[in-house]
Amino acid sequence: MSNDEYRRQESELDDLYREIIIDHYRHPRHKGHLSAPSACHEGVNPLCGDEVTVEVALDGEALGEIAYSGSGCSISQSSASMMTEAVAGKSVAEARRLIADFTAMMRGDEGIDPDALGDLEALSGVRKFPVRIKCATLAWHTLAEALAEASAD
Amino acid sequence: MRQETRDRVLDVNAIRADFPILQREVYGKPLVYLDNAATSQTPRQVIDALVRYYESYNANIHRAVHALGEEATAAYEEAREKVARFIGAPSAESVIFTRNTTEAINLVAYAWGRANVGEGDEIILTQMEHHSNLIPWQLLAEEKGAAIRYIEVTPEGTLELGNLSALFSPRTKLLAMPHVSNSLGTINPVEEIIAEASRRGVTTLIDGAQAIPHMPVDVQAVGADFYAFSAHKMLGPTGVGVLYARRELLEEMAPFLSGGEMIRKVTFEGATWNDLPWKFEAGTPNIADAIAFGSAIDYLDALGMENVRRHEVEVTAYALERLRAIDDVTLYGPDDPEGRGGVVSFNFGDLHPHDVGTILDRQGVAIRAGHHCTQPLMRCLGVTGTARASFYVYNTQEEVDVLMDGLKAARDFFR
Ligand SMILES: Cc1ncc(COP(=O)(O)O)c(C=O)c1O
């Protein structure tokens, strides 16, 4: 294998496991449970057994509190942690927009500028590992379900 | 990379030369294929059999009046004879071709289970079932109002048989279990358990998907009423499985799928069924792949299943020894390589199996990461998944070394 090829692969792995992703994996934010959640939803990735439960407590139109719990690979868990940081305190409408933008980025949608998503851009490297994309989006789909439940009540 | 081998029982270099796929590279590294419990690779001889069929005698079987049809029919039925001999079945009539192990088990759950399991009846399974030997019985139990009881798995990854007799009741209709666990590698004492079940008049089914490919098995010595396995895990093509069954049971059973091929006489009022085994093979079967499966059996026969087993024990023993030397590796399943198939399940420090799998993949090493279709078992073990390396006739100790180097790389990555 050429040196260029080596470097390309190393850098793809580095892209997958960006420092910020490892940091969230090692030091999860908002991990735990809420005392009075408005809704709680459990998401599982049947293929690999990743589990993420998202709890939300609405404060009027805002996402007052959010927490997640679960177990799984570094990508699924750090994505959950980064998500809670990104949406905490936002309005429900803003959170929904972010879910749409994030999942569009993971699909490789050209209309999305990853850099506009702040830290979440770090997860765009996962796109080069198609089997891992579901790991990255699990928490986000779970949040969408939790918000739907919370708003339905 | 030249594979040097210290192997004594198989000429692994010669074997490797028969498998075209082993020449390929993955991400610029030589492929190290350690996912054989999921599916095995295919030797040139099997690929040639497929090509030969399509190039020279492709035809529908059993009802053609022409030469091609006769040749195809003869080759298809010869493959069935080979399977029967390979597993020690009394006759080819008790060998039914299906799509895979899963379909073979479903055939039993529908054609036998619907007629013989009723409300209040009981089914015994183990906690180490592959979902293929779990869901069909859960559906049956739910539909009929039957109950399922499970033989427990010990912390060592073996079955807890101390209280086996207590699991049976006068309502027990079926005992179904794996011969070898695909997640733990455990070789279960099936003869003993089946003898106990048979003594009580309980029908038995063995999921042999991980046994037939890797060790000598005589289905009559095992003693099960039904025994299921897949060609694609034993050097054969995808799309062919086998249900072996005791003849008397097959004769009593109603058909599973119906249509052409499985009938004798059809009128507007009804039909009578074809003889065994065709009664259970509705429609045009997977002719080409069944014939090629016959070639896979020839290949394994030539190696000798006892040698295949010895080789796997050696490679597995070496892998266990190397993995045990790493402090924070947790191994699952029996300690003694003689007590397990060529399957090594492990976790590595606090690294998730997926992350381990992705990093190994970039080194050309293909392993499995996850629950291996045994979610309830993973819950028993208190994990969401494991990393699993599984070996076959072409794997070498040098490939285990590459796996170990890959694990080091994974650790460095997450440090
Ligand atoms: C123990 C066991 N049973 C059943 C199966 C299912 O085999 P198939 O997918 O060929 O039906 C497998 C394969 O994954 C297995 O390992």
Side-chain angles (χ1 to χ4, degrees):
Chain A
M1 184 170 54
S2 70
N3 282 340
D4 281 357
E5 181 61 14
Y6 261 126
R7 245 174 265 125
R8 193 182 60 73
Q9 280 173 37
E10 294 268 303
S11 83
E12 276 186 12
L13 269 183
D14 286 335
D15 268 353
L16 178 67
Y17 295 116
R18 293 273 192 84
E19 229 166 86
I20 185 161
I21 294 178
I22 305 280
D23 180 57
H24 274 266
Y25 182 49
R26 293 274 181 237
H27 311 286
R29 330 284 207 267
H30 302 272
K31 186 159 182 179
H33 299 279
L34 300 182
S35 48
S38 328
C40 168
H41 195 86
E42 183 188 3
V44 296
N45 183 347
L47 232 61
C48 53
D50 289 339
E51 295 172 351
V52 170
T53 298
V54 174
E55 297 174 25
V56 294
L58 298 193
D59 178 7
E61 279 304 297
L63 235 173
E65 284 188 283
I66 180 164
Y68 85 96
S69 54
S71 60
C73 67
S74 58
I75 303 301
S76 70
Q77 302 302 305
S78 59
S79 181
S81 174
M82 293 170 81
M83 175 189 80
T84 57
E85 239 182 14
V87 300
K90 295 256 164 68
S91 74
V92 170
E94 282 171 317
R96 287 214 169 98
R97 204 166 319 122
L98 198 54
I99 294 170
D101 286 352
F102 180 81
T103 50
M105 172 179 86
M106 296 312 296
R107 276 197 308 274
D109 190 326
E110 305 268 329
I112 299 293
D113 174 14
D115 289 328
L117 293 179
D119 283 354
L120 296 171
E121 180 274 332
L123 286 160
S124 64
V126 178
R127 288 181 306 192
K128 294 210 192 79
F129 296 77
V131 295
R132 305 299 296 276
I133 290 174
K134 280 205 163 69
C135 307
T137 52
L138 174 63
W140 296 80
H141 292 306
T142 310
L143 172 61
E145 298 283 344
L147 289 178
E149 280 170 33
S151 314
D153 289 340
Chain B
M1 182 176 65
R2 274 305 293 167
Q3 296 288 343
E4 274 297 319
T5 174
R6 296 173 218 115
D7 200 87
R8 293 178 300 274
V9 286
L10 292 179
D11 182 352
V12 177
N13 285 336
I15 291 173
R16 292 183 68 85
D18 286 334
F19 290 75
I21 207 168
L22 298 180
Q23 309 306 315
R24 77 160 278 184
E25 299 193 333
V26 173
Y27 302 112
K29 315 266 168 71
L31 169 66
V32 173
Y33 186 77
L34 304 180
D35 194 15
N36 293 286
T39 201
S40 58
Q41 296 304 342
T42 317
R44 170 66 63 203
Q45 289 82 340
V46 172
I47 299 167
D48 285 348
L50 278 173
V51 172
R52 219 164 29 243
Y53 170 79
Y54 283 116
E55 285 187 349
S56 55
Y57 61 100
N58 175 31
N60 213 326
I61 52 170
H62 296 314
R63 50 194 166 206
V65 292
H66 48 73
L68 299 192
E70 270 177 36
E71 288 173 29
T73 304
Y76 180 77
E77 292 305 331
E78 189 191 337
R80 194 194 309 275
E81 300 275 351
K82 285 178 187 173
V83 172
R85 270 199 305 278
F86 190 71
I87 63 172
S91 79
E93 286 160 17
S94 46
V95 170
I96 297 162
F97 283 127
T98 62
R99 274 194 309 140
N100 46 37
T101 305
T102 305
E103 188 178 275
I105 295 172
N106 273 275
L107 191 163
V108 179
Y110 281 89
W112 180 87
R114 261 64 183 174
N116 290 281
V117 175
E119 189 171 349
D121 285 341
E122 293 175 5
I123 295 168
I124 299 178
L125 305 174
T126 74
Q127 285 182 336
M128 56 168 83
E129 297 312 325
H130 187 281
H131 297 163
S132 290
N133 196 35
L134 175 61
I135 313 298
W137 307 119
Q138 288 181 340
L139 286 178
L140 174 67
E142 196 178 323
E143 184 181 316
K144 297 291 185 174
I148 299 178
R149 312 185 73 173
Y150 294 93
I151 303 177
E152 286 180 11
V153 173
T154 65
E156 291 72 47
T158 56
L159 292 175
E160 175 56 67
L161 298 174
N163 53 356
L164 179 63
S165 53
L167 286 178
F168 288 94
S169 87
R171 302 302 302 268
T172 309
K173 286 286 154 55
L174 174 78
L175 178 142
M177 61 178 290
H179 197 156
V180 174
S181 159
N182 67 306
S183 299
L184 301 170
T186 316
I187 301 175
N188 293 314
V190 286
E191 290 85 353
E192 190 187 310
I193 300 171
I194 284 171
E196 170 101 24
S198 303
R199 226 179 357 259
R200 296 162 186 270
V202 171
T203 302
T204 53
L205 177 144
I206 296 294
D207 168 359
Q210 298 297 343
I212 296 280
H214 301 285
M215 59 185 69
V217 174
D218 179 320
V219 290
Q220 291 191 84
V222 168
D225 295 306
F226 299 104
Y227 196 108
F229 57 100
S230 296
H232 69 91
K233 294 184 198 284
M234 50 192 294
L235 311 182
T238 54
V240 179
V242 170
L243 175 69
Y244 157 81
R246 264 189 35 241
R247 214 198 138 95
E248 304 87 274
L249 282 162
L250 291 178
E251 275 167 357
E252 284 165 20
M253 281 157 58
F256 171 41
L257 302 176
S258 57
E261 197 90 17
M262 50 75 69
I263 37 73
R264 172 165 304 131
K265 183 167 180 214
V266 182
T267 64
F268 285 116
E269 286 70 43
T272 55
W273 312 136
N274 200 342
D275 292 332
L276 291 175
W278 307 291
K279 171 179 157 188
F280 291 100
E281 292 181 6
T284 302
N286 191 343
I287 304 164
D289 290 314
I291 292 170
F293 178 30
S295 297
I297 287 178
D298 291 342
Y299 192 95
L300 287 170
D301 256 339
L303 297 180
M305 288 311 290
E306 194 55 57
N307 296 330
V308 169
R309 171 68 185 144
R310 292 327 312 161
H311 172 73
E312 285 184 31
V313 169
E314 274 181 29
V315 177
T316 304
Y318 180 68
L320 289 172
E321 176 193 315
R322 294 270 341 242
L323 284 163
R324 268 191 209 112
I326 307 176
D327 285 346
D328 50 354
V329 162
T330 308
L331 282 160
Y332 304 95
D335 286 339
D336 182 1
E338 296 290 343
R340 59 154 88 210
V343 171
V344 176
S345 251
F346 61 96
N347 268 309
F348 184 37
D350 64 349
L351 296 191
H352 191 275
H354 264 195
D355 294 316
V356 174
T358 292
I359 292 182
L360 287 175
D361 181 44
R362 294 282 152 153
Q363 323 277 324
V365 181
I367 62 152
R368 191 79 151 189
H371 53 61
H372 321 299
C373 295
T374 55
Q375 282 182 26
L377 174 63
M378 294 293 127
R379 209 151 292 143
C380 290
L381 298 174
V383 298
T384 52
T386 69
R388 181 187 75 183
S390 53
F391 309 111
Y392 212 1
V393 291
Y394 34 69
N395 290 125
T396 64
Q397 298 193 357
E398 287 71 18
E399 288 181 306
V400 173
D401 293 336
V402 177
L403 166 69
M404 301 309 297
D405 292 345
L407 289 179
K408 253 181 233 123
R411 178 179 343 247
D412 291 346
F413 215 93
F414 279 92
R415 199 184 291 286

